[in-house]
């Protein structure tokens, strides 16, 4: 009995040590990077894979990046099997060879012990520019991946501890801010080196055999938990559809269709019926689509399941070739980690909601740019920035209102909103407004998070913006009788007084000095009938400026006096609106 308990404790210690190592890698990457997208937005993920390329541990960073690390490692193994040595470092970003989209560069460093690759440390991060025909690498009018930036197949960047200068030079020659990109690559490699050092300490304390045995157990245990969770769901086929606004070329919405089949201990996510690949950059290659499908499925199955490759074994993902979610090379894919990755997850939520027991939220707001770039008049330096301060909000869920200011769903709060003052130091603009917007939250017993109004004035010249995103036509869905959230919207106020409404996907536009950009992001969808919301919560929302009195009356059936809820009128109004007595005790 004592020996068995010792084994259980040892496994727990090693598992927590691996998780701690990935967190330390993330802290190191955040603190040593140069670009704001790393250091402030934290648009990255770190993980550890075993020698076979199975994901063992990952930091709670950007979900769509973290789980994809296993694909990158497996591509390196496929290409370099038998040629991987201590001191090597690999780099890749090609979406058709283990990457997400071109701005996300993966750095992979093997941990070689006794002549065997025991682990791979992986850092995967979004870089501000990776070349292509538009600065920032979000080319809303790209029709092929070659217009989106530099493609890096799995390749050695460092061989036996020596940087391959020719490879580094080739990469840096094809981007607009080479020094920043190089510094951030050093930060990624440094984070991996910290992971290697901690893994060596782990190996020094335990034998290789015991560590490998524990890793095998961790993967098998995650698989067992996943299968048990699937088995608790009723067998059957559950179908849902979600839609992307457009691809920037065609006007009609693009369908994502999923059928989730539960059969005993196995789950199949079949996307047959999804629309064919499109001309624009909203296509999603196999890695991103599969990762998004895993995220949606595991969210429904429970947070107690470790997010490693063992959990993925019981979830089969079928993506028709030539479809929006598995396009043929060289289709453009840059928007994919935002849209349609988030809509893949949303479709799975809607399919499983009837059997998930209220554990799934309503729809999240979709990301809607822009990026901006130009020459900073203060230092004559080139800059690329992103409107992370205009993030949308999450959907309500049974027992809790949606979180504000955290969308899109594929990132689930992993991208941090930068500090306003720091943003003004880094880029030539002034923030005029940054606040939650009234009446944007989807109404519900548990409402969505409210959207954000964000205005900034550009004083650099020239300033260029590129709009990329979605959600200007299709709002975040409500569920269980909850109402949809609001739409994204964006406009420019020109110095001459003219106002221009922006589309969600626009090619580069040059702005005169003094132009004001205003983005109002989506509020999340609501969960449950709004007329079942506690009237005191509605009153607090009115006091806080999140809901207008008119919306409180029309959608929530709540009326106020100067002192608070008018209980008698509210009870009568709710009865009139619904035709039945409200279950809340209204006195």
């Amino acid at each position: 009995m004592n020996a068995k308990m010792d084994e259980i404790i040892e496994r727990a210690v090693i598992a927590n040590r691996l998780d701690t190592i990935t967190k330390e890698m993330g802290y190191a990457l955040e603190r040593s990077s140069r670009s704001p997208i790393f250091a402030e937005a934290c648009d990255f993920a770190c993980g550890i894979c075993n020698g076979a390329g199975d994901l063992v541990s990952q930091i709670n960073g950007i979900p769509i990046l973290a789980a994809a690390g296993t694909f990158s490692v497996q591509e390196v193994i496929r290409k370099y099997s038998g040629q991987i040595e201590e001191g090597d470092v690999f780099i890749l970003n090609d979406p058709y060879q283990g990457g997400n989209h071109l701005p996300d560069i993966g750095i992979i460093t093997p941990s070689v012990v006794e002549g065997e690759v025991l682990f791979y440390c992986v850092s995967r991060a979004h870089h501000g520019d990776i070349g292509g025909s538009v600065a920032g690498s979000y080319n809303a009018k790209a029709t092929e991946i070659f217009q989106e930036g530099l493609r890096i197949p799995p390749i050695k960047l460092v061989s036996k501890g020596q940087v391959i200068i020719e490879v580094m030079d080739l990469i840096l020659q094809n981007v607009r801010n080479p020094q920043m990109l190089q510094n951030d690559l050093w930060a990624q490699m440094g984070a991996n080196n910290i992971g290697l050092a901690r893994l060596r300490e782990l190996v020094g304390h335990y034998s290789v055999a015991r560590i490998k045995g524990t890793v095998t157990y961790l993967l098998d245990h995650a698989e067992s938990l996943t299968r048990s969770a699937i088995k608790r769901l009723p067998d059957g086929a559950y179908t849902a559809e979600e839609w992307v606004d457009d691809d920037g070329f065609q006007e009609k919405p693009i369908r994502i269709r999923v059928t989730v089949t539960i059969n005993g201990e196995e789950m199949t996510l079949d996307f047959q019926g999804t629309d064919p690949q499109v001309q624009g950059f909203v296509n999603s290659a196999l890695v991103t689509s599969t990762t998004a499908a895993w995220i949606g499925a595991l969210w429904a199955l429970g947070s107690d399941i470790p997010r490693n490759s063992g959990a993925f074994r019981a979830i089969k993902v079928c993506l028709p070739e030539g479809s929006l979610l598995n396009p043929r090379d060289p289709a453009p894919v840059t928007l994919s980690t935002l849209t349609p990755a988030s809509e893949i997850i949303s479709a799975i939520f809607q399919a499983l909601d009837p059997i998930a027991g209220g554990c799934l939220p309503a729809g999240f707001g979709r990301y809607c740019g822009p990026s901006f770039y130009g020459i900073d008049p203060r230092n004559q330096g080139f800059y690329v920035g992103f409107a992370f301060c205009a993030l949308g909000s999450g959907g309500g869920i049974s027992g809790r209102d949606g979180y504000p200011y955290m969308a899109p769903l594929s990132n689930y709060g992993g991208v941090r909103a930068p500090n306003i003052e720091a943003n003004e130091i880094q880029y030539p603009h002034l923030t005029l407004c940054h606040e939650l917007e009234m009446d944007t939250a989807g109404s519900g017993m548990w409402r969505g998070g409210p959207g954000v109004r964000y205005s900034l004035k550009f004083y650099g010249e020239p300033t260029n913006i590129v709009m990329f995103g979605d959600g200007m036509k299709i709002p975040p869905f409500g569920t269980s009788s909850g109402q949809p959230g609001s739409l994204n919207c964006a406009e420019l106020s020109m110095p001459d007084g003219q106002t221009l409404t922006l589309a969600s996907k626009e090619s580069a536009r040059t702005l005169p000095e003094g132009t004001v950009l205003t983005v109002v992001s989506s509020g999340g969808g609501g969960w449950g009938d709004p007329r079942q919301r506690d009237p005191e919560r509605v009153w607090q929302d009115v006091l806080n400026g999140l809901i207008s009195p008119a919306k409180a009356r029309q959608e929530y059936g709540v009326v106020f006096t100067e002192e608070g809820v008018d209980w008698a009128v509210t009870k009568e109004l709710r009865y009139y609106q619904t035709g039945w007595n409200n279950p809340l005790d209204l006195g």
Side-chain angles (χ1 to χ4, degrees):
M1 180 67 178
N2 288 338
K4 182 65 174 177
M5 183 59 67
D6 288 346
E7 182 182 16
I8 292 172
I9 292 172
E10 181 178 282
R11 285 172 176 170
V13 169
I14 292 175
N16 280 280
R17 186 73 177 275
L18 290 170
D19 289 343
T20 301
I21 291 170
T22 60
K23 290 177 183 177
E24 187 176 358
M25 290 169 62
Y27 294 146
L29 182 51
E30 177 185 352
R31 286 160 173 75
S32 62
S33 57
R34 179 178 170 187
S35 65
I37 199 168
F38 278 30
E40 291 194 40
C42 294
D43 194 348
F44 59 76
C46 297
I48 297 172
C49 292
N50 66 5
D54 297 316
L55 183 66
V56 176
S57 179
Q58 58 172 298
I59 189 176
N60 292 325
I62 308 300
I64 200 68
L65 301 185
T70 183
F71 291 97
S72 299
V73 174
Q74 289 170 357
E75 282 294 318
V76 167
I77 295 172
R78 180 190 61 78
K79 184 174 180 180
Y80 286 95
S81 179
Q83 305 173 58
I84 301 173
E85 302 181 75
E86 186 173 0
D88 288 349
V89 178
F90 300 87
I91 184 171
L92 67 84
N93 75 344
D94 192 338
Y96 294 99
Q97 297 187 67
N100 285 101
H101 64 171
L102 297 182
D104 291 337
I105 297 180
I107 297 292
I108 299 159
T109 309
S111 174
V112 181
V113 179
E114 299 174 2
E116 177 187 5
V117 179
L118 188 60
F119 291 110
Y120 292 90
C121 291
V122 184
S123 61
R124 199 181 188 102
H126 187 112
H127 291 257
D129 182 76
I130 192 64
S133 57
V134 172
S137 304
Y138 279 96
N139 182 357
K141 296 305 177 182
T143 57
E144 55 185 6
I145 195 171
F146 306 113
Q147 298 164 343
E148 297 187 298
L150 176 66
R151 298 176 72 174
I152 308 172
I155 192 170
K156 280 188 183 181
L157 181 59
V158 179
S159 179
K160 300 179 183 179
Q162 297 296 315
V163 176
I164 303 173
I165 299 299
E166 293 83 358
V167 174
M168 181 67 83
D169 286 347
L170 177 63
I171 294 170
L172 300 181
Q173 190 68 24
N174 282 278
V175 302
R176 293 174 175 83
N177 202 331
Q179 191 61 56
M180 183 174 289
L181 185 135
Q182 184 177 46
N183 288 347
D184 287 342
L185 290 179
W186 294 142
Q188 286 185 257
M189 286 187 271
N192 284 8
N193 286 340
I194 286 177
L196 291 183
R198 300 296 179 261
L199 289 170
R200 282 194 292 267
E201 294 170 3
L202 187 64
V203 172
H205 191 78
Y206 302 95
S207 70
V208 170
R210 286 159 70 187
I211 291 175
K212 291 175 70 174
T214 297
V215 168
T216 298
Y217 168 80
L218 294 175
L219 296 173
D220 290 345
H221 182 57
E223 179 182 5
S224 177
L225 290 174
T226 306
R227 291 186 181 278
S228 295
I230 295 172
K231 192 173 182 178
R232 289 194 291 270
L233 299 176
D235 283 359
Y238 308 92
T239 299
E241 293 180 348
E242 185 58 283
W243 299 82
V244 175
D245 280 357
D246 54 59
D247 71 340
F249 291 91
Q250 64 182 38
E251 290 295 323
K252 65 178 183 179
I254 307 162
R255 179 175 58 185
I256 296 172
R257 179 182 174 89
V258 64
T259 299
V260 183
T261 302
I262 308 296
N263 183 12
E265 297 181 345
E266 295 187 346
M267 174 185 288
T268 300
L269 308 171
D270 190 345
F271 289 88
Q272 191 71 40
T274 294
D275 282 349
Q277 67 185 72
V278 293
Q279 186 176 6
F281 69 160
V282 300
N283 298 293
S284 177
L286 187 69
V287 172
T288 298
S289 298
T290 303
T291 303
W294 284 340
I295 292 170
L298 288 171
W299 195 326
L301 294 176
S303 60
D304 61 324
I305 300 172
R307 269 45 175 175
N308 64 36
S309 288
F312 308 151
R313 294 171 182 167
I315 304 170
K316 183 180 180 182
V317 181
C318 301
L319 299 162
E321 186 177 1
S323 70
L324 180 77
L325 306 184
N326 187 10
R328 296 182 178 89
D329 188 353
V333 297
T334 300
L335 194 59
S336 63
T337 58
L338 302 170
T339 294
S342 296
E343 286 61 64
I344 293 171
I345 301 169
S346 292
I348 295 169
F349 282 4
Q350 292 176 80
L352 290 178
D353 181 69
I355 61 171
C359 73
L360 295 174
F364 278 46
R366 305 182 186 189
Y367 184 85
C368 197
S371 61
F372 43 87
Y373 63 92
I375 303 298
D376 191 329
R378 298 168 298 179
N379 55 28
Q380 299 305 308
F382 181 80
Y383 69 89
V384 177
F386 298 88
F388 287 130
C389 291
L391 296 176
S393 297
I397 190 172
S398 178
R400 191 192 73 224
D401 292 337
Y403 291 131
Y405 202 33
M406 65 171 301
L409 187 54
S410 59
N411 291 348
Y412 193 57
V415 170
R416 299 178 190 170
N419 177 278
I420 290 294
E421 287 75 18
N423 242 10
E424 292 177 339
I425 291 172
Q426 291 154 352
Y427 307 116
H429 69 241
L430 294 174
T431 302
L432 306 180
C433 176
H434 193 226
E435 60 190 26
L436 298 178
E437 181 78 350
M438 181 184 288
D439 287 346
T440 52
S443 300
M445 180 178 181
W446 301 101
R447 60 161 174 76
V452 172
R453 176 177 290 269
Y454 177 50
S455 293
L456 64 162
K457 184 176 184 178
F458 298 102
Y459 60 83
E461 190 172 11
T463 295
N464 304 277
I465 66 166
V466 176
M467 284 296 297
F468 64 96
D470 206 68
M472 287 187 168
K473 300 176 182 177
I474 299 171
F477 65 89
T479 192
S480 299
S481 300
Q483 297 299 303
S486 61
L487 294 170
N488 288 313
C489 61
E491 67 177 26
L492 295 173
S493 297
M494 312 300 287
D496 62 5
Q498 184 181 8
T499 299
L500 300 177
T501 300
L502 298 173
S504 62
K505 304 167 186 69
E506 287 194 12
S507 54
R509 181 193 294 265
T510 301
L511 307 179
E513 182 177 2
T515 300
V516 174
L517 166 73
T518 299
V519 178
V520 180
S521 63
S522 292
W527 189 97
D529 189 334
R531 291 172 293 274
Q532 295 186 38
R533 184 170 177 81
D534 184 344
E536 288 288 358
R537 288 183 179 272
V538 181
W539 169 236
Q540 289 301 315
D541 287 340
V542 170
L543 289 179
N544 291 328
L546 304 181
I547 297 175
S548 66
K551 184 169 183 175
R553 181 186 182 97
Q554 180 179 355
E555 297 193 15
Y556 289 92
V558 180
V559 181
F560 309 104
T561 66
E562 292 183 359
E563 288 75 29
V565 178
D566 187 325
W567 294 99
V569 176
T570 294
K571 184 175 182 179
E572 181 179 355
L573 179 60
R574 284 192 166 185
Y575 178 81
Y576 174 76
Q577 287 180 338
T578 62
W580 46 268
N581 285 309
N582 194 278
L584 288 171
D585 181 8
L586 300 183

